[in-house]
Amino acid sequence: MTSHAATEKSRSRPAPPSPQDIRRKHVGDALFRGITALAAASVLALAAIYVVQMALNSWEAVRHFGWSFVVGTTWDPVFEEFGALPVIWGTVISSLLALLIAVPISLGVSIYLTEIAGRRIRRIIEFLIEILASIPSVVYGLWGIFVLVPLVRSIQPHLTSWFGFLPLFQGPPFGYGMLTAGIILAIMILPIMTSLTREALHAVPNHQREASLALASTRWEMIRHAVLPYNKSGIIAAIVLGLGRALGETMAVTMVIGNQPTISTSLFMPAQTIASLIANEFAEASSSLYLSVLIELGLLLFGITLLLNVGARLLVNRISHAGGRRR
Amino acid sequence: MSKTNHSAARSRKRRQLADRLMSGLTMVCVAISVIPLVSILGYLIYKGAGAINWDFLTKLPAPVGASGGGMANSIVGTGIVVGLAVLIGVPIGVLAGVYLAEYGRQSRLGRSVRFFADVMQGIPSIVVGIVAYTLVVLPMQRFSAIAGAVALAMILIPFVCRTTEEALAATPHDLREAGLALGQPQWRVTLGIVMRAARNALVTGIMLAAARISGETAPLLFTALNNRFWHSGIDQPISTLTVQVYTYAIAPFDDWNAQAWSGALVLIAIIFVLNVVARTAARSKYVERS
């Protein structure tokens, strides 16, 4: 009787896990862990695929031209003469132009957002900048063709009449060209640079600000001497990432730069970037050498942006968030 | 005595003036950065809304020279290519994110995956297009919707991987401990409790990724190519809204240019809807708490 009650009781209680149960749990865990690890490893594999595929497919061009490819100045697919210097020039100059415009503006906006703006205004501006970041490249290009290009065309004669003694400001008023590309790139990299710079300034601890104010600094002196120098590496990382974006940006630049692989000292002359050359000619590349050359250009672009991104990430990872301004 | 007072007051005035001036300059920067946004959105509505009508949304492009026609095939095409890319990329990205958040926080694999996922988000999308071309178009010997989808999936995977990790990392640790204390194996705690708690944030990440790839043009130029007709299978070239807007924008015909504006307006509308849905989903109680 009592033994019966005892078994009844033990039946209503969950049985202790048998060794089989435990092993099954382990199997399930190991399996799930394995699957997720495989997915994670495939992200690394993806990175490897980039390198391998581009290296393999550009090998023909690398062997055929060697280093002369990078210094050649003639781009003539019909006679299979491929010199990349004009597009490298176009890529670098248009991106530097973009930085020249975007760095001071994004720094100003970030300072306003972290140090000056009230909560509500800050929210609104951050929202607007997010919208700016979500506009697709092709829409920037469309706006560039029909709004920015005519604008540049109409102000160019004035610039030429004022500064025309400099070769920088000479040239025919096309509207399509280096300056237009630089402006549109500046607009496009502004959101990412602003958000990264803002993060960098947020990471500056408040005691920096308090100490500076306690020494009777004005707000600007505090920003200038206590906030900006504290996290230089974060600000530099933002600039480097912006540069990486600008170098690789394709559609909007293709639509406004004029697409002529020539080197010119004038800001108003049409030019060509690596990315826009690939966009224009890749689908029409007729020979395997031609295709291979375009892939080599892609590899070059990939290598540069990869280096910039790795460098910037290493800088960003150094930022400490201890005691920064809280939102 | 009064002289030093006088010069101190003057320097004080100068410093305050500098302060005002620089504060003013930062506001000018804000104004400058908002102008392009206002101009772009304004022109999109001003030029785009006019040409949007029922035909535009339901008809194929008109033959060259004829007026009228629409972008229905491109709108559907963007849906198909983005949908395929989500199908390919989301499982890999989410599982990789689960690994980062639940197993590999500090492991060497975890750290390197996290690093490369971040770095890959900065790779130019035109380069992604080249790699997808060598992976899919070269072996298949033709441009196809699936090649475009692979290209977009390659952009989506690192993005979703990181948003998933962040979503899971934001759930409170008590949830995991409670689940484990009930005797659940870890994989069921992750799938049934942690991921369910982070559901809204996961959806947000995926929607933002979809919005991001919907606007991509460069990787599709020589993978999906374009098509003036309805698509006839995922192994055939397909039209997408972005490539069609590009084609029509650089064409020398006025009515094509006008349609490019309308196409861009539809594109922006799609991206905004995805963004709004994503942000609405983001209001999860667990995300707020962390």
Side-chain angles (χ1 to χ4, degrees), chain B residues 89-113:
Chain B
V90 162
I92 300 176
V94 167
L95 284 173
V98 169
Y99 177 82
L100 290 186
E102 302 297 312
Y103 297 108
R105 274 197 193 185
Q106 292 306 322
S107 76
R108 183 180 287 187
L109 176 64
R111 268 180 305 178
S112 47
V113 167

Side-chain angles (χ1 to χ4, degrees), chain A residues 25 29 53 143 216 220-221, chain B residues 15 19 33 39 134 183 186-187:
Chain A
K25 276 181 188 173
D29 273 341
Q53 282 293 325
W143 177 79
W220 169 247
E221 285 161 350
Chain B
R15 288 170 56 209
D19 183 52
S33 58
S39 171
T134 64
Q186 199 187 344
W187 67 278

Side-chain angles (χ1 to χ4, degrees), chain B residues 156-173:
Chain B
L156 180 123
I157 288 170
F159 187 92
V160 170
C161 172
R162 294 289 277 141
T163 55
T164 301
E165 185 200 356
E166 276 160 29
L168 297 188
T171 56
H173 205 69

Side-chain angles (χ1 to χ4, degrees), chain B:
Chain B
M1 183 72 189
S2 73
K3 201 175 177 185
T4 51
N5 264 348
H6 190 60
S7 77
R10 248 176 51 187
S11 113
R12 190 188 159 87
K13 213 169 231 170
R14 212 182 50 228
R15 288 170 56 209
Q16 277 175 344
L17 197 70
D19 183 52
R20 295 255 171 78
L21 193 71
M22 296 315 286
S23 304
L25 269 181
T26 62
M27 281 178 232
V28 172
C29 288
V30 172
I32 291 174
S33 58
V34 171
I35 288 172
L37 177 68
V38 173
S39 171
I40 291 171
L41 295 182
Y43 269 96
L44 270 175
I45 292 164
Y46 165 64
K47 291 208 165 185
I52 289 189
N53 49 35
W54 192 240
D55 275 4
F56 182 82
L57 297 172
T58 56
K59 289 224 164 119
L60 287 174
V64 178
S67 62
M71 286 195 185
N73 59 335
S74 314
I75 298 170
V76 172
T78 288
I80 290 172
V81 175
V82 170
L84 281 173
V86 166
L87 280 182
I88 300 168
V90 162
I92 300 176
V94 167
L95 284 173
V98 169
Y99 177 82
L100 290 186
E102 302 297 312
Y103 297 108
R105 274 197 193 185
Q106 292 306 322
S107 76
R108 183 180 287 187
L109 176 64
R111 268 180 305 178
S112 47
V113 167
R114 193 173 294 128
F115 186 77
F116 276 102
D118 279 346
V119 166
M120 274 198 283
Q121 288 183 41
I123 290 175
S125 60
I126 187 103
V127 170
V128 178
I130 293 179
V131 175
Y133 177 89
T134 64
L135 284 176
V136 188
V137 178
L138 279 183
M140 279 177 66
Q141 291 295 321
R142 67 158 93 89
F143 301 104
S144 62
I146 192 72
V150 167
L152 295 188
M154 287 166 69
I155 298 171
L156 180 123
I157 288 170
F159 187 92
V160 170
C161 172
R162 294 289 277 141
T163 55
T164 301
E165 185 200 356
E166 276 160 29
L168 297 188
T171 56
H173 205 69
D174 323 0
L175 278 179
R176 294 176 183 78
E177 282 166 9
L180 290 172
L182 287 171
Q184 293 266 305
Q186 199 187 344
W187 67 278
R188 294 196 55 183
V189 171
T190 304
L191 279 180
I193 300 176
V194 178
M195 289 182 76
R196 183 175 295 184
R199 194 174 42 202
N200 289 350
L202 289 177
V203 171
T204 299
I206 293 167
M207 299 292 263
L208 287 178
R212 163 87 72 90
I213 61 173
S214 303
E216 286 290 353
T217 317
L220 298 175
L221 284 176
F222 36 84
T223 52
L225 207 70
N226 202 344
N227 189 342
R228 294 190 64 79
F229 304 99
W230 294 106
H231 76 108
S232 46
I234 60 168
D235 59 340
Q236 296 293 328
I238 193 168
S239 179
T240 51
L241 210 40
T242 49
V243 175
Q244 189 71 350
V245 166
Y246 170 61
T247 312
Y248 273 26
I250 60 172
F253 311 119
D254 284 343
D255 43 345
W256 282 23
N257 295 162
Q259 291 208 334
W261 281 102
S262 304
L265 185 60
V266 172
L267 179 67
I268 286 275
I270 292 172
I271 290 171
F272 277 14
V273 166
L274 285 172
N275 269 298
V276 167
V277 174
R279 276 170 222 293
T280 320
R283 300 206 181 106
S284 147
K285 50 184 173 174
Y286 291 113
V287 173
E288 296 278 308
R289 245 171 68 173
S290 70

